[in-house]
Amino acid sequence: MNDNTRKIIYTVLIGLPTILIVWTFSLYFFGCGTTNTCSGLPEAVVTPIPTLHPAAMPAPKVGVDAVPSAPRCRVSALKLLGAWVDAGYSETETFSFTDVKGVNCTANYKDDVQKLFTTPNLWYDGAQACITCHYADIAKATKNMDLSSYSGILAGSNRVNGAAKGNDILGGGVWANALMRQMLYAPDGKTEINRPPMPLGRPANVPADGPVISAGTPPLP
Ligand code: HEC
């Protein structure tokens, strides 16, 4: 073996481990600083779970809600009631009325009229529903009158001793003559018959014909 060969062997034998040590050490030093835990490095700014972008779209509707709601007409409570009574106050048949825009709309008792008697806060903010006082237990209800059902409304008021029929409040199908209208029509908070306007406690700023509400549907385009 000559000297040159020996040199090469020694160089390789010493050089390779040296390179290995330096390389390992540099990995350790530059990767983790001088600590064992790598805590010397700034922590990576990442969330533990991938960031989800907040949904920008409204939640999709399912079931009945998925059916787009039909456009509704706007009309005053008394005009709606009047149209219903003058059309013969049917429980199931539709009736028509002219809305605030002059459109000829269609409504029915169940979807449009009944809520005038059963919904609180409808006539004004803070209003009690008619049925709070005029409910099915006619022995106890105010004026022995039940406005909670179609048959109750038709049976009328003052059904003392549980009478099946009382005083007609629908004017025999003529709204202009109806006691219901006289108790509800209240310009400046006063009825024309000097009785308290309904719903009882109704403030003077409620329009004479009651609030304008959404009811009925316009004709199909
Ligand atoms: C807080 C209780 C109360 C509420 C709510 C109420 N009423 Fe009355 N209602 C009365 C009282 C009390 C009378 C008697 C008024 C009087 O002294 O003339 C009456 C009388 C009536 C009468 C006359 C009955 C008759 O034969 O003399 C009608 C019709 C009537 N109410 C309809 C309604 C309607 C419609 C509503 C809802 C829009 C309503 N009431 C809400 C208490 C109430």
Side-chain angles (χ1 to χ4, degrees), residues 62-89:
V62 290
V64 251
D65 290 343
V67 181
S69 57
R72 314 229 65 195
C73 303
R74 305 274 303 163
V75 66
S76 74
L78 258 71
K79 215 166 168 200
L80 183 71
L81 272 173
W84 175 62
V85 171
D86 284 337
Y89 52 80

Side-chain angles (χ1 to χ4, degrees), residues 81 116-118 123-124 127-134 142-143 145 147 156-158 167-169 179-184 193-202:
L81 272 173
L116 298 174
F117 308 118
T118 55
W123 290 79
Y124 56 90
Q128 289 181 290
C130 312
I131 56 168
T132 314
C133 303
H134 307 297
T142 307
K143 285 284 163 185
M145 176 172 70
L147 298 182
S157 65
N158 295 314
N167 298 342
D168 175 29
I169 55 171
L179 179 59
M180 175 87 86
R181 189 195 76 84
Q182 292 168 335
M183 298 299 286
L184 288 172
I193 54 171
N194 267 322
R195 292 180 63 184
M198 296 291 131
L200 196 71
R202 169 171 162 173

